Each structure stands twice: as structure tokens, then as C-alpha cells.
Amino acid sequence: MADDGDYKRDQNYITTRITADGRDGYPVEPGRYRLVIARACPWANRAAIVRRLLGLEEVLSMGIAGPVHDERSWTFDLDPGGKDPVLGIERLQEAFFKRDPGYPRGITVPAMVDIPTGQVVTNDFNQITIDMSGEWAEYHRAGAPALYPEHLRDEIDDVNAKVFADVNNGVYRCGFASTQEAYEAAYERLFARLDWLSDRLANQRYLVGDTITEADIRLFTTLARFDAVYHGHFKCNRQKLAEMPVLWAYARDLFQTPGFGDTIHFPQIKEHYYVVHRTVNPTGIVPVGPDESGWLTPHGREELGGKPFGDGTPPGPPLETERVPSLA
């Protein structure tokens, strides 16, 4: 936290990369790595979506931490015996300490773990999904979409930077501000950017080009949590998402697209934020609402044209062990 009350996210991550040529010592290999996520975390949710859309399930396994953690680490309390069945650890912290026994920073998801050594390779959420699109291309499913096409990368990067600063991280800057001034500044930036996004999406189905890209995935995971968490818990309350017609329709369009809504676990999302953030919600009471059935209502966005997967195809159903509760 800065002296002015503004929330400052620690963005120093382990930047080792898993690449096709293995230049950092970690070559892409089927079955070698485990992606660790938590359903509650928007940054990890991105990686789960990209993995689904690209069809990497059979070559990159996924461990799922529980929604509640303490100051030490995310834990695998959803698994039998409280241990990840592949890594054999109770806390993600153990994989970080195997890499660096004195690791001084927060233990974050998503994280890629090298199964043979049990060491975390990277927790650089920004690069993880980009590398899934590029470095793991040999193992993409037939019909996988181009989520980070070269001819659109500059525009995707520009949109991503704006969305990260003002929306993805902006909701946290509202929620964790420690002065009125810092909160109001973050609030104004957040809703100014949401208005900008509404204008951009009023006449085009997706953020960049006419298919789903990395930019849509990064915005979606924040929008999916907006009414359930950020509107009340983080005081982002000018409007609910459901009261912003363009963004609400856009978010529903994505939610109903295979690979998006089937990664969203609303009970775990709410449990994480309302239980873990005791400085914001001292009682730890988790709200019952809002009604989630609206996510399945018609959105009308197909009238704008575009094709979700371009010349590709939708992913198949989630693995049985990775299914989330249905809203239907």
C-alpha cells in the first residue's frame, strides 16, 4: 500500500518461460507440467479458459486449489487428503520453496509447476497464456482458435494494457484503497474505462477483430466477478454489470461460449473474496446473491457478426474432473 492510500500490486513474478526450444531450461513437453489455478482467482481463470479453448487438457494437467487461503499459501483442500494428487503437496507454497527456499513474495496462481522436480517454473500470469498460444502450438487441438494472432498483437497489447490498469487491477485499487481520495480516483478511472469499453463494443462483437482473442479473455474474467463481488465488496457501485447494457450483453455472449462460462464457479468466487479479505469484510459473511440465472438469457450479440472461433471450432466438453456447477 502506498503512502497516498493507493493499492500497488506487486508485479514481480518468476519470469522463467516454458518454450518450444527450452531456452530457459524448460522445454514444452506433454505431461511434464501442471498448471495450478484457483477457480476464485481472475488471473488464474484466464489460464483455465485459454487451456480449454486451445485443447491442451491432455498435455497439460491442471490442479485446482481451494477458494480460501491464509497468509502462507493457496491450499489443495478440495482434493482427497488435502493434497494435490499429482504434485503430492498440501500448499502451493511448497513448489515455490522447492524452486527458491527463501522465496520472499506472495504465492500466486496461476503457476506452472515442473512435475519431475516439484518446482514452480513461473507464476507470470501475463506470459503464461501468451505462451500457451505460441509455444504450445504443436499440441493445440484441431480447430483451436488463434487467440493472439500476429497481425493483431499490437492492438491486443494496447487494449490489454488499458484494461489491466483501469479494470482488471482497477477494481482492486477501489477495494483496497486506504484513503477516500485514492478510492475515488480508482473509481473514476474504472468507470471511465468501462464507458470506453461500452462505446468500443457497441458496434463490434469482440474487442479486437471479429473473433475471440486474448483481450476478450482478460476482460471477461473481471466482468464475470463484477456483480458477485466487485460491485459490493470492492465498492465499485456506480452500476452493476447487469445495468450496463452493452457490457452485460457482451459478457453473457462470452459466458455462453464453450470454454468461458464452464470455467466459472460462482460459489468459490464469492467464498474467496468475502472470507479471505477480512480487512474489507470483517465478519466473513458470504452473500447469498446475486441471482446468477441472468447469465443464461439471450444476448443478441450474434447480430453484430463475427465468429467466436474464426475458422476453428468450439472446444469439447470439460473433463469430468474439471466440471463446475451448472446454472441451468
Side-chain angles (χ1 to χ4, degrees):
M1 189 69 67
D3 292 339
D4 60 3
D6 188 22
Y7 169 68
K8 304 292 187 184
R9 180 176 296 278
D10 182 356
Q11 296 185 59
N12 292 287
Y13 301 101
I14 300 173
T15 57
T16 306
R17 292 173 62 188
I18 299 169
T19 58
D21 63 7
R23 57 185 176 273
D24 285 0
Y26 294 95
V28 169
E29 293 180 16
R32 175 171 174 177
Y33 305 99
R34 189 156 175 83
L35 169 66
V36 177
I37 69 158
R39 294 288 187 196
C41 173
W43 321 99
N45 195 174
R46 298 175 177 184
I49 292 171
V50 171
R51 174 176 170 271
R52 281 270 294 121
L53 296 180
L54 298 179
L56 293 173
E57 292 97 329
E58 297 303 321
V59 297
L60 176 62
S61 69
M62 187 168 76
I64 304 174
V68 177
H69 63 74
D70 58 21
E71 68 280 357
R72 288 180 290 172
S73 177
W74 296 89
T75 58
F76 295 101
D77 48 284
L78 301 177
D79 293 307
K83 289 187 176 183
D84 179 90
V86 172
L87 300 174
I89 58 177
E90 296 179 352
R91 293 177 174 274
L92 181 57
Q93 183 185 57
E94 296 174 52
F96 279 75
F97 285 172
K98 283 186 179 179
R99 171 75 183 266
D100 177 2
Y103 187 73
R105 301 188 180 280
I107 307 301
T108 63
V109 289
M112 294 281 260
V113 179
D114 180 44
I115 296 171
T117 63
Q119 298 180 4
V120 68
V121 179
T122 179
N123 63 337
D124 186 352
F125 66 85
N126 182 64
Q127 192 64 45
I128 285 172
T129 54
I130 297 298
D131 283 344
M132 283 185 187
S133 282
E135 302 298 330
W136 290 78
E138 180 182 351
Y139 300 102
H140 290 179
R141 66 179 176 87
L147 301 176
Y148 194 55
E150 189 165 356
H151 70 288
L152 294 177
R153 286 180 186 176
D154 288 346
E155 188 176 359
I156 292 170
D157 290 347
D158 179 65
V159 170
N160 284 348
K162 291 180 171 71
V163 169
F164 173 81
D166 300 335
V167 181
N168 300 144
N169 196 47
V171 293
Y172 285 84
R173 293 179 66 240
C174 290
F176 291 144
S178 61
T179 66
Q180 187 70 33
E181 293 76 15
Y183 160 70
E184 291 185 10
Y187 176 100
E188 293 299 331
R189 283 183 60 179
L190 167 65
F191 282 100
R193 184 60 65 196
L194 290 176
D195 290 341
W196 178 85
L197 287 163
S198 290
D199 290 342
R200 184 181 182 96
L201 289 164
N203 297 301
Q204 64 186 62
R205 191 171 179 186
Y206 303 110
L207 279 171
V208 181
D210 60 0
T211 64
I212 290 167
T213 67
E214 181 83 17
D216 299 293
I217 295 165
R218 295 188 182 202
L219 176 58
F220 170 78
T221 58
T222 295
L223 296 183
R225 289 158 175 78
F226 202 88
D227 288 1
V229 176
Y230 303 141
H231 178 269
H233 185 61
F234 278 176
K235 307 179 185 70
C236 302
N237 61 356
R238 190 190 78 178
Q239 293 159 289
K240 296 177 181 176
L241 176 65
E243 297 167 345
M244 294 182 268
V246 172
L247 288 177
W248 177 223
Y250 165 80
R252 297 199 320 275
D253 185 8
L254 292 175
F255 187 93
Q256 295 169 31
T257 299
F260 283 83
D262 55 32
T263 69
I264 299 295
H265 196 305
F266 284 115
Q268 289 190 21
I269 288 170
K270 291 193 295 184
E271 184 179 1
H272 169 70
Y273 283 92
Y274 285 100
V275 171
V276 172
H277 299 162
R278 289 303 178 98
T279 57
V280 180
N281 185 44
T283 65
I285 293 173
V286 180
V288 175
D291 180 3
E292 296 154 2
S293 62
W295 283 99
L296 301 180
T297 59
H299 51 77
R301 295 283 293 179
E302 61 276 349
E303 296 177 6
L304 295 174
K307 297 191 295 182
F309 304 103
D311 295 328
T313 57
L319 298 177
E320 187 63 36
T321 56
E322 297 177 5
R323 292 186 182 275
V324 299
S326 172
L327 300 187

